[in-house]
Amino acid sequence: MRCPCVVRPGRLALLLFALSLPAGAQVLPSSDPATGRHSGAGVFAAIDDLRRQGRHAEALLLIERRLAHSPDDDAYRLRVLTLADLGSSRLAAAGLAQRPTLFADHERERIEGNAVARRLGWAEVLPENPQDRLAEARAALAELRTLQREAPRQTRWESTRLRVDALTALNQLHRHEEVAAGYRELLADDIEVPAYILATVGDSLLALRRPDEALPVLEQAVAHDPGNVNATILLGYAWLELERFDRALPVFATLAASQPAWPRRDGAIAGYENWDRYSADVAHALAHSHANDHAGAEDMLQSLVAIGPHNASLQAAFGAVQARRLRPAAALQRYRMAATLDPYDRDALAGQVGSLVALERIDEAADALQALHAIHPDDPRSARIARDLDRHRGAQLSLSSASGRSSPLGGRTAQSPFGSRDASHALELRSPLLAGRWRVGVVGQQREADFDDIRTRYRGAGVGGWYRHDRLGAAATVWRIDDDDAPGPTAWSFAADWRLGDAWRIGGSMAHRDADASLQARRAGITADSLRLSADWTPDDTLAIGAHASRLRYDDGNTRDRIGVDASTRLHTRPHLLVDALASVHVSRGSHGEDAAYFNPSRDASIQLGLRLDHITWRRYGSAFRQRLELHAGPYWQQRHGSQWIPAVGYRHVWRREGGTFEYGVTWSRPVYDGVREQRVALDAGLRWGDAR
């Protein structure tokens, strides 16, 4: 049963306007006392007068009354134009479509253009069914293309306007390449691009990772409209992505300071929420995180999360900072909170993929990626995340090579366990991921050293298997040894580790005929089995402490025990420079003492303090070139030989691109063995590809 008081959609607004009029307001001219009818000329004169005064709602009521008495073309035409003046673009366009001949070309094109623009505005609002969130943008673009194809604009401005509005629709649909191409075409046609679209163009250029092109566009947008918060944020991000933190951070700080949290209009009793301040604060915090100040960003966002815990985008931003603080489980929790609040939040969906990969839950990461792609199929970030996941699941390669030279000082006999010359080379090739958690592959290693001008070599090749899923990791290898100095063709190793949480990880390993045992011992035909235990505590990106204990059991009955603690903590953080303090303490002992055929102190200990300077010389998204300088110094004590200070300096280059790292370096030190000081210079290089560990 239908309600008898149903109001047509077109009339609902009119009733609301009527109710808003002051009591006794007169919107119709006086009627003829004799006939009770209104004069047509008087009605139109009243309508024109109301429209000139900007009282379009009252004019529309008068037009509706006129149409009820006399549905003539003039009144119909005024009705459409007045609806357009009121901003009811879609109603105006519908009316125009019924009687297009009543309107001049410029009127028709303006109304049709306004209707497309209004539809684009509605496309930015989350619909009742979020799965259809892009439907309005697609419909607006289709309507716009139809107008361009079937009714080419006769006025230059309206033709330009459709081209510009197409950029908005394409941006909403994540078709950023087409936005960039459309903008270039406007410039090529010598068209002055309207300022209101510049922020949209800049956003697409940033999505395409073209900050150098986006920067002048966004600078122009902000110059035209300094109060445009969104354009200013995008400008700050353009500077960030160009690695100009000196320009970016002041942009965000100034913007946040310029936005009062609770602005109050004149005469208002209370202020209102300023969402521009929220956007500025979140962007400011994330800018600090991009500048390596993750701790500062965390503090800034923590206060906001305490105020608005039910804000999905805020929880996703906090999750991103947790991920950068090396807390993948905490990050995943925040991303999932955000996704619960808003299942279509792009940052929450994308962040879950990265966190699950970091937690080695690859099957779940693939499911999260599928959900992201289903909701945001055309987003360039979805494609990049998919490539990263494919690379992680693909084959992995690790190559390393090192060589060194040791020489005693003061004409004494060398005692170095490395020999006068030494070299090592290693290969590890792992298969693509099997069943989401397994890999198999081949391993190879060669070590050699010169002792008393006699070269000792160790060569081995074998196969291995690796398992890693969630908290557990394990690896096993079997080697065939090609070594004339120490008979026994087979060696093996096994290792496992367990992640207790974001901060703690414990592990252990054992090996038969350990390849890392002393080559001096191997020269004498002595091999060693090993057992190692470790515990690492890394609460965040600025602090790491690792403890380890090991035992080498040699064939000659000697056992060598060693324990140590290594730590690093951040002293100074700048966008392109990280300075860490380093410390290590190691203690060891050998049961056979110095009677062994190899360097084997009865007891020894060392303390090393140092600094590490990590300079990001060049960076562009996932690619970077870094320079690292490490300085160490500290006492080394050996029973029967006293204590002496050991200096060491290391310098290296690290080249990083998405999926791979190549690094090389040189180390100089002056160690002491059995009281003899030596000088050692070592070179090393390594290549890792496919996130090889």
Side-chain angles (χ1 to χ4, degrees), residues 231-482:
T232 305
I233 290 174
L234 290 172
L235 176 61
Y237 274 111
W239 283 118
L240 280 181
E241 295 180 20
L242 288 169
E243 297 291 319
R244 290 296 307 274
F245 294 94
D246 59 321
R247 299 294 300 272
L249 293 177
V251 168
F252 291 110
T254 302
L255 177 64
S258 70
Q259 296 295 319
W262 293 90
R264 181 179 298 182
R265 293 188 175 92
D266 292 342
I269 298 176
Y272 60 91
E273 302 98 328
N274 184 2
W275 286 101
D276 284 342
R277 172 60 182 268
Y278 161 78
S279 299
D281 281 344
V282 172
H284 189 200
L286 292 178
H288 274 270
S289 182
H290 285 296
N292 293 319
D293 183 15
H294 307 312
E298 182 180 24
D299 290 341
M300 296 168 73
L301 289 177
Q302 184 70 66
S303 62
L304 296 179
V305 170
I307 296 171
H310 299 295
N311 186 312
S313 63
L314 181 56
Q315 292 288 0
F318 195 63
V321 173
Q322 292 301 303
R324 293 169 189 155
R325 300 223 72 187
L326 306 182
R327 300 168 183 162
L332 180 62
Q333 181 184 47
R334 294 292 175 171
Y335 286 133
R336 285 183 167 171
M337 290 171 65
T340 299
L341 295 167
D342 180 1
Y344 300 90
D345 187 280
R346 180 177 54 180
D347 294 332
L349 294 170
Q352 289 183 69
V353 181
S355 295
L356 288 166
V357 170
L359 293 169
E360 295 293 345
R361 293 155 62 176
I362 306 303
D363 293 340
E364 294 179 60
D367 292 340
L369 176 62
Q370 186 176 5
L372 171 65
H373 189 71
I375 298 173
H376 302 280
D378 299 317
D379 188 347
R381 184 163 57 171
S382 299
R384 289 194 292 268
I385 292 173
R387 288 195 299 270
D388 290 342
L389 181 58
D390 287 342
R391 190 180 298 115
H392 183 82
R393 292 189 293 192
Q396 296 181 344
L397 172 67
S398 176
L399 290 171
S400 63
S401 181
S403 63
R405 177 180 294 182
S406 300
S407 56
L409 301 178
R412 304 177 70 178
T413 303
Q415 302 295 319
S416 172
F418 297 101
S420 57
R421 292 175 182 268
D422 64 278
S424 64
H425 315 282
L427 162 70
E428 187 176 283
L429 178 61
R430 303 183 186 182
S431 72
L433 205 58
L434 307 174
R437 54 195 71 181
W438 291 93
R439 297 181 191 271
V440 296
V442 296
V443 291
Q445 187 177 56
Q446 175 176 309
R447 295 179 62 207
E448 58 186 35
D450 292 346
F451 299 102
D452 301 325
D453 297 326
I454 300 175
R455 179 155 297 183
T456 297
R457 286 190 176 90
Y458 169 93
R459 294 191 184 94
V463 296
W466 296 267
Y467 173 91
R468 186 163 291 279
H469 176 67
D470 199 10
R471 296 177 180 271
L472 176 63
T477 58
V478 178
W479 300 72
R480 179 175 178 83
I481 308 302
D482 178 14

Side-chain angles (χ1 to χ4, degrees), residues 625-640:
F625 168 58
R626 308 171 81 119
Q627 300 182 77
R628 288 178 182 160
L629 176 66
E630 290 192 13
L631 307 172
H632 298 265
Y636 170 73
W637 170 83
Q638 182 181 344
Q639 191 174 37
R640 296 176 53 193

Side-chain angles (χ1 to χ4, degrees), residues 582-586 606-610 631-636 645-648:
L582 308 174
S584 63
V585 178
H586 294 89
S606 68
I607 298 176
Q608 287 278 300
L609 300 177
L631 307 172
H632 298 265
Y636 170 73
W645 277 74
I646 308 298

Side-chain angles (χ1 to χ4, degrees), residues 18 21-31 38 42 46-47 49-50 53 55 57-59 61-62 65:
L21 295 175
Q26 181 176 330
V27 296
L28 292 174
S30 302
S31 60
H38 303 282
I47 292 171
D49 186 52
L50 289 171
Q53 296 177 45
R55 296 160 63 185
E58 299 171 41
L61 286 172
L62 191 54
R65 187 67 62 85

Side-chain angles (χ1 to χ4, degrees), residues 63-263:
I63 292 168
E64 290 294 335
R65 187 67 62 85
R66 170 67 184 183
L67 285 171
H69 287 287
S70 177
D72 55 76
D73 288 347
D74 289 339
Y76 187 91
R77 181 175 178 277
L78 282 174
R79 179 192 188 192
V80 171
L81 294 176
T82 305
L83 283 170
D85 292 339
L86 280 168
S88 300
S89 307
R90 303 301 299 176
L91 288 175
L96 180 147
Q98 294 180 22
R99 301 186 191 179
T101 57
L102 299 180
F103 302 90
D105 286 342
H106 71 277
E107 293 172 331
R108 174 179 56 82
E109 292 178 357
R110 177 175 66 87
I111 292 170
E112 290 173 340
N114 287 347
V116 171
R118 179 53 55 90
R119 172 164 264 178
L120 288 172
W122 281 112
E124 297 180 357
V125 179
L126 188 67
E128 183 176 355
N129 182 1
Q131 292 182 340
D132 298 332
R133 60 185 186 79
L134 296 180
E136 199 71 29
R138 293 191 186 98
L141 184 61
E143 181 179 338
L144 186 151
R145 296 303 190 203
T146 299
L147 290 176
Q148 289 179 318
R149 182 176 59 255
E150 299 180 1
R153 307 290 90 175
Q154 301 301 309
T155 55
R156 179 178 174 86
W157 161 243
E158 293 298 339
S159 176
T160 298
R161 182 187 183 188
L162 286 186
R163 295 174 66 181
V164 169
D165 286 349
L167 303 184
T168 299
L170 292 168
N171 175 268
Q172 292 172 344
L173 295 170
H174 306 301
R175 292 160 61 175
H176 301 295
E177 284 285 4
E178 295 178 62
V179 175
Y183 176 67
R184 288 194 299 268
E185 290 171 3
L186 288 170
L187 296 179
D189 292 340
D190 199 25
I191 292 175
E192 184 177 352
V193 180
Y196 70 82
I197 199 61
L198 294 176
T200 299
V201 174
D203 177 69
S204 287
L205 291 171
L206 288 178
L208 294 170
R209 293 191 165 184
R210 300 177 188 169
D212 48 343
E213 296 180 39
L215 182 62
V217 175
L218 292 168
E219 286 182 323
Q220 188 179 354
V222 172
H224 279 283
D225 185 5
N228 188 329
V229 172
N230 182 58
T232 305
I233 290 174
L234 290 172
L235 176 61
Y237 274 111
W239 283 118
L240 280 181
E241 295 180 20
L242 288 169
E243 297 291 319
R244 290 296 307 274
F245 294 94
D246 59 321
R247 299 294 300 272
L249 293 177
V251 168
F252 291 110
T254 302
L255 177 64
S258 70
Q259 296 295 319
W262 293 90

